Amino acid sequence: MKNSGKVVVNKFPREIVSGSCSGSKSRSVLNAVALQDHLVRSLSLQDPIKIRNEHVSKSNTKKKANSGRKTKTHMDGNREYVLDAKPKALTLAQRLGLVDAPSEPLNDKEWQVVKNKSNQRNDSNQPCVICKEEFGTQHQVLLSCSHVFHRVCLEAFEKFSGGKTCPLCRKEQYETRVIHEGRKMWQHKCAIKIQAAWRGYVVRSWYLKLRETVPPNNPRLRRKFYEEKLRSITDRFVTSMSNADVDSFLAQIDESVEESRRVMRFVGEDSFKTMSDADWESVYEQAKDRLSSDCPICFTILCSGITAPELLSRPDVRPVVLLSCSHVFHKNCVDSFEQLSLNSSPICPVCRSPYYKKDI
């Protein structure tokens, strides 16, 4: 036993291991052997060659496990797994109760309780305590003390601190588990940003179409709106006339404008000029035959041949007016007709033409 530097417990008799030997001496020997084995295992006082071989084999096994884990993680990005290695078997001293045994690793149900506790504090939505950056799509680890960190940040902290101590609560010998709560929240934020950008684009497009069709109420903006409309119409006109004879088209426009001006001059000068005495005499000659007839409005006799003294002595006789169109009416009838007419300028009730009137 001394040459190997290790106490091989399995080579002791079964009676000694089970503690069935009589006497306190055998029990003391068993306890001493158990304590010695525990100290050797805890202080790593083993054969250096054997330790190196075990280290190489463990590293190879770890690489294979990591490669398989990466493949599975790539296939299923939402899978959660524990990073800690499988706990070592209990030593004889721990099984006999001479030394406190380590606590059992957390199961899935206990990990879920720890995760819920972290989610209640909304830790995954906050930046990492070590690097002060958001978790994003990077790997995130949850400690058994319910605190979360970047996996790379935690490994760097353990490397430079020389031990396993939580950066927040200083708990030692914690367990770690890979979770994806930070990634889920990051994806949710990205989806919200994309939706907000799309909705803003839709609203802006709708507003631009509205500005193109509906004029604003502001006078300055309204003027600018119509200026842009006129500019667009002019541009389309010039584009459409690029292959046509522009000179002939403009000549036709000038002719149309000149004709419109000529018509307006005729209307302003000939149709609404004041009538002279000669013109009234001509109209009166045309209306002589109508003086003996009835008024076309009230259908009563005109009585135009009565002299002024008779007109004063007879209140039933009403004054008569002559229109420029040669029609004759009672003055009161024409005045009432003009008041009830909806036209802006007076027109004859018979021939529907504009007129001037003169008392007879």
Side-chain angles (χ1 to χ4, degrees):
M1 289 189 299
K2 293 182 180 180
N3 295 333
S4 62
K6 178 181 179 182
V7 177
V8 182
V9 179
N10 295 333
K11 292 184 179 181
F12 283 91
R14 185 176 299 176
E15 292 80 3
I16 298 177
V17 174
S18 60
S20 61
C21 295
S22 60
S24 60
K25 184 176 180 181
S26 60
R27 185 175 296 277
S28 299
V29 172
L30 179 61
N31 293 340
V33 172
L35 290 173
Q36 182 182 3
D37 177 67
H38 179 76
L39 292 174
V40 170
R41 288 175 181 271
S42 61
L43 297 177
S44 300
L45 299 176
Q46 301 180 15
D47 188 4
I49 298 176
K50 189 174 182 179
I51 293 174
R52 186 183 64 182
N53 294 335
E54 291 179 356
H55 181 70
V56 172
S57 63
K58 287 182 179 180
S59 62
N60 294 333
T61 305
K62 188 175 181 181
K63 288 180 180 179
K64 292 180 181 179
N66 291 334
S67 61
R69 183 181 300 169
K70 290 180 180 179
T71 304
K72 292 181 180 179
T73 304
H74 179 71
M75 295 175 61
D76 186 7
N78 296 326
R79 189 178 67 87
E80 298 180 358
Y81 54 90
V82 180
L83 289 176
D84 299 321
K86 187 177 181 180
K88 297 180 181 180
L90 298 178
T91 62
L92 181 59
Q94 291 174 346
R95 284 183 288 177
L96 293 176
L98 301 176
V99 180
D100 295 336
S103 59
E104 293 293 331
L106 301 178
N107 53 26
D108 292 338
K109 187 175 181 180
E110 293 173 344
W111 273 116
Q112 189 64 33
V113 173
V114 175
K115 182 179 177 181
N116 293 336
K117 186 178 179 181
S118 176
N119 291 338
Q120 289 177 359
R121 296 196 305 264
N122 202 16
D123 291 343
S124 299
N125 198 24
Q126 304 296 329
C128 175
V129 178
I130 300 176
C131 65
K132 299 299 181 181
E133 294 182 0
E134 294 186 357
F135 288 100
T137 57
Q138 300 182 14
H139 290 179
Q140 180 186 10
V141 291
L142 172 66
L143 307 188
S144 57
C145 57
S146 73
H147 295 123
V148 291
F149 307 95
H150 281 128
R151 180 177 178 180
V152 178
C153 297
L154 183 64
E155 291 176 354
F157 182 81
E158 292 176 353
K159 179 179 178 181
F160 288 101
S161 63
K164 294 186 65 173
T165 304
C166 177
L168 285 178
C169 62
R170 303 303 178 184
K171 180 181 178 180
E172 298 181 356
Q173 301 304 321
Y174 50 78
E175 298 181 40
T176 56
R177 182 182 177 90
V178 175
I179 61 175
H180 306 284
E181 295 299 315
R183 180 185 300 174
K184 294 178 182 178
M185 293 184 179
W186 177 260
Q187 291 174 353
H188 182 67
K189 290 181 180 179
C190 294
I192 291 176
K193 291 181 179 179
I194 293 173
Q195 292 177 359
W198 172 250
R199 290 171 182 170
Y201 169 76
V202 171
V203 172
R204 286 192 296 271
S205 302
W206 173 82
Y207 178 72
L208 292 176
K209 291 181 180 179
L210 182 65
R211 288 292 302 272
E212 292 177 357
T213 55
V214 180
N217 296 327
N218 189 301
R220 184 176 60 84
L221 298 179
R222 196 180 186 89
R223 179 178 179 182
K224 185 177 180 182
F225 172 81
Y226 285 111
E227 288 178 354
E228 292 178 356
K229 284 291 184 182
L230 180 61
R231 185 183 299 110
S232 62
I233 294 173
T234 306
D235 294 340
R236 289 198 300 268
F237 172 75
V238 173
T239 304
S240 61
M241 295 300 295
S242 59
N243 298 326
D245 190 359
V246 181
D247 295 335
S248 62
F249 179 76
L250 295 177
Q252 294 177 3
I253 293 177
D254 294 339
E255 292 177 359
S256 300
V257 172
E258 186 63 28
E259 183 68 19
S260 300
R261 290 176 178 175
R262 187 184 66 79
V263 171
M264 294 303 295
R265 283 197 301 269
F266 172 78
V267 171
E269 295 176 1
D270 297 338
S271 298
F272 298 97
K273 64 181 180 179
T274 58
M275 298 181 64
S276 62
D277 295 337
D279 295 333
W280 280 114
E281 291 179 359
S282 175
V283 173
Y284 183 77
E285 291 295 332
Q286 297 176 9
K288 278 183 178 181
D289 298 335
R290 297 174 181 174
L291 292 175
S292 59
S293 61
D294 296 337
C295 176
I297 298 177
C298 65
F299 298 104
T300 59
I301 190 170
L302 294 173
C303 301
S304 59
I306 303 174
T307 60
E310 295 178 351
L311 184 63
L312 294 175
S313 62
R314 295 179 58 180
D316 57 330
V317 178
R318 292 178 292 175
V320 179
V321 293
L322 174 64
L323 304 186
S324 59
C325 58
S326 74
H327 292 108
V328 184
F329 303 91
H330 287 127
K331 183 176 181 180
N332 295 336
C333 296
V334 173
D335 294 341
S336 300
F337 182 81
E338 290 177 355
Q339 293 178 1
L340 296 176
S341 177
L342 298 177
N343 296 324
S344 58
S345 59
I347 58 176
C348 178
V350 178
C351 62
R352 302 296 179 183
S353 62
Y355 61 85
Y356 292 97
K357 59 185 178 179
K358 181 179 180 182
D359 297 335
I360 298 177

